[in-house]
Amino acid sequence: GNSRLGEDILHYYIDMGPYSIDKMDKALPPRLVQCDISTHVVNSMTKRYHKYVEKDLMSIVQDDATQFTLINDESVDSVVDKGLVDALFCAEQGGMVQQ
C-alpha cells in the first residue's frame, strides 16, 4: 500500500509522452489500474492518488489479482507484478541474480 510504482509509471508515461497532467484535452493516455485485495489499502491509495483518479488516469480496485473478477478479458495491455519486481530488485541488490 505504500509503493509509488503506479505513480512512477504514470509520471514516466506522461513526462516521456505528449501528455500533460494539466492539459488533458489531447488524446488520453492509457489508464493505469492498480489492484489490491485489502479494503484499507484501496481506500488509502484512492485518497493518495485522487488527482489521477479524478482525471481518469488511474483506477484503484479491490480485487484478487489471481482472479481479476473486475477486469474484463482482453482489456489489459500489460501487467506488472510488483511482488516479482520487488523480488528481482532485492535479488539484484544481494547479487543473487545470475546473468
Side-chain angles (χ1 to χ4, degrees), residues 18-98:
Y19 307 102
S20 166
I21 193 80
D22 297 319
K23 299 176 182 175
M24 294 311 298
D25 55 334
K26 299 178 183 179
L28 292 175
R31 198 156 130 262
L32 184 76
V33 178
Q34 297 201 65
C35 173
D36 201 285
I37 200 162
S38 164
T39 303
H40 174 74
V41 170
V42 168
N43 290 338
S44 174
M45 290 173 64
T46 300
K47 288 177 187 171
R48 183 173 22 167
Y49 297 128
H50 72 277
K51 65 183 178 183
Y52 304 114
V53 172
E54 289 173 358
K55 293 184 182 283
D56 202 29
L57 296 172
M58 183 185 292
S59 294
I60 320 288
V61 297
Q62 181 181 356
D63 201 358
D64 180 347
T66 64
Q67 302 295 318
F68 280 129
T69 58
L70 299 176
I71 309 281
N72 295 329
D73 289 346
E74 300 181 21
S75 67
V76 176
D77 293 321
S78 62
V79 174
V80 176
D81 180 344
K82 186 186 166 305
L84 177 60
V85 171
D86 288 346
L88 291 173
F89 181 74
C90 291
E92 187 175 86
Q93 291 288 331
M96 296 161 57
V97 174
Q98 296 182 10

Side-chain angles (χ1 to χ4, degrees), residues 5-25:
L5 182 61
E7 184 176 22
D8 290 345
I9 290 171
L10 192 56
H11 275 289
Y12 177 80
Y13 189 86
I14 290 171
D15 292 343
M16 299 302 287
Y19 307 102
S20 166
I21 193 80
D22 297 319
K23 299 176 182 175
M24 294 311 298
D25 55 334

